[in-house]
Amino acid sequence: MDDETLEKELTLDKQLCFALYGAAHAFTRAYKPLLAPLGLTYPQYLVMMALWENDDVPVKALGEKVGLDSGTLSPLLKRLEQAGHVARRRDATDERQVYITLTDTGRALKKQAVGVFRAIGEQTGCSLDEVVTLRDSLKRLQAQLGDEG
């Protein structure tokens, strides 16, 4: 494409990045009322999902999994600990290493989260196959842009 054609395409509503930005915000807004009964914010929900998948993990590995830096993750984990969903423990051999473990309360929350997953699925209006295709396309795009986190 020549510069003149590209210039005509340089409008906000034609940008992929803006569509992704808007969709991400729409997802966050859609999750908010669904997560409120669980007492979770969206970032806390992401952390809980990661822990339901793989419990008793180092804080650093958890942060890498969910894409949160320690400045964001530490206060989030503190709130989850205060709510009784997770516990922190120091590694016996390396006290600098902190592990995050689900409590029984945190594990039990997973059953309620199934309803959140179902409701979001219904709100998207997409079939499961469409969701899988879209998710895989977005993961490929993320990798292409050099962030496979």
Side-chain angles (χ1 to χ4, degrees), residues 66-116:
V66 296
L68 296 174
D69 62 44
S70 62
T72 303
L73 188 59
S74 292
L76 186 153
L77 290 171
K78 187 175 184 177
R79 287 189 297 277
L80 287 174
E81 187 176 34
Q82 289 170 343
H85 300 313
V86 302
R88 292 188 241 203
R89 71 169 178 80
R90 295 211 175 267
D91 188 307
T93 58
D94 181 359
E95 290 201 5
R96 295 170 297 172
Q97 186 92 273
V98 176
Y99 283 76
I100 303 299
T101 307
L102 288 167
T103 63
D104 290 341
T105 303
R107 275 188 214 64
L109 204 55
K110 185 177 182 181
K111 289 194 184 311
Q112 291 177 268
V114 171
V116 172

Side-chain angles (χ1 to χ4, degrees), residues 17-69:
C17 59
F18 189 64
L20 287 170
Y21 178 78
H25 280 283
F27 262 103
T28 303
R29 283 190 307 274
Y31 271 102
K32 191 172 184 174
L34 298 172
L35 294 174
L38 279 66
L40 297 174
T41 64
Y42 183 69
Q44 289 172 338
Y45 178 65
L46 296 179
V47 167
M48 293 300 292
M49 280 198 298
L51 289 168
W52 292 326
E53 186 178 325
N54 190 17
D55 192 9
D56 197 31
V57 295
V59 170
K60 184 177 180 182
L62 182 59
E64 290 169 359
K65 174 83 173 175
V66 296
L68 296 174
D69 62 44

Side-chain angles (χ1 to χ4, degrees), residues 8-29:
K8 289 178 184 175
E9 294 296 309
L10 195 57
T11 60
L12 196 56
D13 66 326
K14 291 184 179 181
Q15 303 307 302
L16 176 59
C17 59
F18 189 64
L20 287 170
Y21 178 78
H25 280 283
F27 262 103
T28 303
R29 283 190 307 274

